[in-house]
Amino acid sequence: MSNTVTISAGSIQLKASQETGCLPPFEGISTAAIHAGQPADPQTGAVMVPISLATTFQQASPGVTKGYDYSRSGNPTRQAYETCVAALENGKHGLAFASGCACTATILAMLAPGDHVVSSDDVYGGTQRLFRRVSAPMSGVQYDLVNFNDDAAFEAAFRPNTKLVWLETPSNPGLTIVDIEKAAKVAHAHGCIFVVDNTFLSPYFQRPLSLGADIVVHSVSKYINGHSDVIGGVLITNDDKLYERLKFLQNGIGAIPSPFDCYMAMRGVKTLAVRMREHEKNAFAVARLLSGSSKVERVVYPGLPTHPQHLIAKKQQSGYGGMITFWLKGGLQQSRQFLENLQLFALAESLGGVESLAEHPAIMTHASVPADERVKLGISDTMCRLSCGIEDTADIVADIQRALDAVQL
């Protein structure tokens, strides 16, 4: 019997789902999450990929290996994990990193001093920090962060030296959605590499490579792993030349995850499909509750028809995810009252775990964003971000209602 397991998670389907009004689930993704890149061990028959802790591998003759020579360059556990995540994005190549920021930094290492990047303006605070305070001053790369939904502003941002376009959709924390296929055409018309951060939806709900992205990135710490116990990043691409460049940089820079972290993330991603369905179900319930509260100024959830880019979400996503951003009436005091009175939701940074989390972006995850930019992006004292977990829906809703009841206007 063959020990090779080759599984593709299928191609994108372009008909609307009767249940959510968006794309139907991607075919085979649950199977790929469990089996892609993970055949039974040929020596023992173990059905779970072993954790290979070896740093070095014996060679039959100088330069004659069994595929591995040194674990920074390649590791059996990491390769299984990279293959699995690539299959989930319907991609050819996956590369894993020690964190999402390490993944981003490795991509930026392809750029030379004087190169220019156009990025969507509403991105994760750590990404902005890496752009503005690390890459720009230390590597001489130039950045413009603009609203991709403003066609004129997006087009005007390009320069002769623009090499890369970076998009996060849905964005963090504003949940802004951008038409990936449209943005890809603009980026490619200018000869740029087009990168999409798919962290907030995971491959279960969105596949940017099928919509024109050259590279897809994830903070594995969120939905891919899904259990708030691994820091990691991963990128996926179908472009052989880009893969070779990035594989060289992965090895040369060396910001790789440990075999144990790869094992943990691979274990976590096996339940991606069942988790994402529960995240979405609970998020819908919370979004509806918040939308009906007299203490809430505004709710942003891609599944609500009131979301400014709801129609784009329906066109390119197979679901709406588990993230909600909303603004309370009042000020910082009201935000503190809400967040301090949550009991089931933990007040903590990060997202995408099985447990429900709440945070205050202006003080927590996006404190590194310049104050004037926070104002522009609506990251105010009354903005709160929720990551709806997979607890019982009734308990999640009751916790939100209890915290709302504690808010005094």
Side-chain angles (χ1 to χ4, degrees):
M1 294 180 62
S2 170
N3 289 310
T4 300
V5 176
T6 302
I7 296 175
S8 170
S11 60
I12 193 168
Q13 301 176 41
L14 298 177
K15 62 179 182 177
S17 165
Q18 293 181 347
E19 184 177 352
T20 63
C22 54
L23 298 177
F26 301 115
E27 291 182 352
I29 193 165
S30 297
T31 303
I34 296 168
H35 294 289
Q38 302 167 70
D41 184 82
Q43 299 299 319
T44 67
V47 298
M48 292 292 108
V49 174
I51 304 173
S52 180
L53 296 175
T55 59
T56 191
F57 301 85
Q58 185 175 8
Q59 302 184 19
S61 181
V64 179
T65 73
K66 296 181 179 180
Y68 306 97
D69 52 20
Y70 188 62
S71 262
R72 173 168 42 76
S73 305
N75 174 277
T77 312
R78 190 170 87 229
Q79 183 177 27
Y81 164 51
E82 291 172 335
T83 301
C84 179
V85 178
L88 297 181
E89 283 285 2
N90 206 25
K92 290 175 62 177
H93 309 292
L95 293 171
F97 299 87
S99 70
C101 286
C103 179
T104 302
T106 301
I107 293 172
L108 298 180
M110 291 193 295
L111 304 174
D115 285 347
H116 178 244
V117 174
V118 176
S119 170
S120 50
D121 54 1
D122 186 15
V123 294
Y124 168 53
T127 302
Q128 285 213 25
R129 179 174 57 232
L130 190 56
F131 289 171
R132 297 176 186 273
R133 300 176 63 182
V134 180
S135 178
M138 297 181 184
S139 299
V141 177
Q142 303 164 12
Y143 293 89
D144 276 313
L145 280 68
V146 299
N147 179 2
F148 281 23
N149 286 321
D150 183 333
D151 292 346
F154 184 30
E155 182 64 40
F158 287 87
R159 307 176 191 172
N161 59 331
T162 305
K163 304 296 183 183
L164 185 141
V165 175
W166 188 281
L167 170 62
E168 187 177 295
T169 181
S171 66
N172 181 7
L175 298 181
T176 301
I177 293 172
V178 172
D179 187 322
I180 297 172
E181 190 171 19
K182 181 179 176 182
K185 290 178 180 177
V186 175
H188 292 152
H190 288 274
C192 297
I193 297 169
F194 182 44
V195 183
V196 177
D197 186 333
N198 196 27
T199 296
F200 263 40
L201 286 179
S202 87
Y204 185 76
F205 283 138
Q206 183 169 266
R207 287 219 180 121
L209 291 179
S210 301
L211 299 169
D214 299 305
I215 302 170
V216 175
V217 301
H218 290 272
S219 171
V220 170
S221 318
K222 281 67 175 181
Y223 288 113
I224 295 291
N225 178 60
H227 292 78
S228 299
D229 53 10
V230 171
I231 296 293
V234 68
L235 69 82
I236 305 95
T237 183
N238 281 325
D239 188 301
D240 295 339
K241 291 183 178 179
L242 273 178
Y243 169 71
E244 291 300 329
R245 291 174 66 188
L246 290 162
K247 176 66 176 173
F248 172 81
L249 291 170
Q250 180 200 44
N251 182 48
I253 296 171
I256 57 165
S258 72
F260 183 75
D261 282 349
C262 293
Y263 166 82
M264 289 290 286
M266 192 160 43
R267 184 173 186 261
V269 83
K270 289 179 184 292
T271 59
L272 178 68
V274 292
R275 286 188 283 108
M276 294 310 295
R277 290 193 290 267
E278 291 299 302
H279 286 303
E280 182 185 51
K281 180 185 74 174
N282 288 336
F284 260 117
V286 171
R288 293 185 182 112
L289 172 65
L290 292 170
S291 296
S293 173
S294 62
K295 297 179 180 180
V296 174
E297 186 71 39
R298 183 162 67 99
V299 181
V300 175
Y301 178 64
L304 296 177
T306 53
H307 189 288
Q309 295 92 36
H310 178 64
L311 294 180
I312 299 176
K314 290 172 66 175
K315 183 181 78 167
Q316 68 186 22
Q317 300 170 197
S318 66
Y320 302 111
M323 299 302 300
I324 300 170
T325 296
F326 71 99
W327 288 257
L328 287 159
K329 293 180 180 177
L332 181 58
Q333 179 181 356
Q334 282 67 37
S335 293
R336 290 191 182 278
Q337 289 171 348
F338 174 81
L339 294 168
E340 290 170 0
N341 282 280
L342 290 167
Q343 296 179 17
L344 182 64
F345 279 76
L347 178 59
E349 298 192 9
S350 199
L351 59 106
V354 292
E355 72 291 337
S356 293
L357 299 175
E359 69 113 358
H360 189 273
I363 295 176
M364 297 168 68
T365 56
H366 288 69
S368 64
V369 177
D372 59 335
E373 285 295 318
R374 291 203 301 270
V375 171
K376 175 184 171 184
L377 297 171
I379 305 174
S380 66
D381 286 344
T382 59
M383 175 192 267
C384 297
R385 191 191 74 183
L386 302 176
S387 174
C388 296
I390 65 172
E391 302 94 340
D392 289 335
T393 305
D395 292 332
I396 288 177
V397 169
D399 196 42
I400 296 295
Q401 185 61 64
R402 179 169 47 246
L404 286 171
D405 291 342
V407 175
Q408 300 177 4
L409 296 176

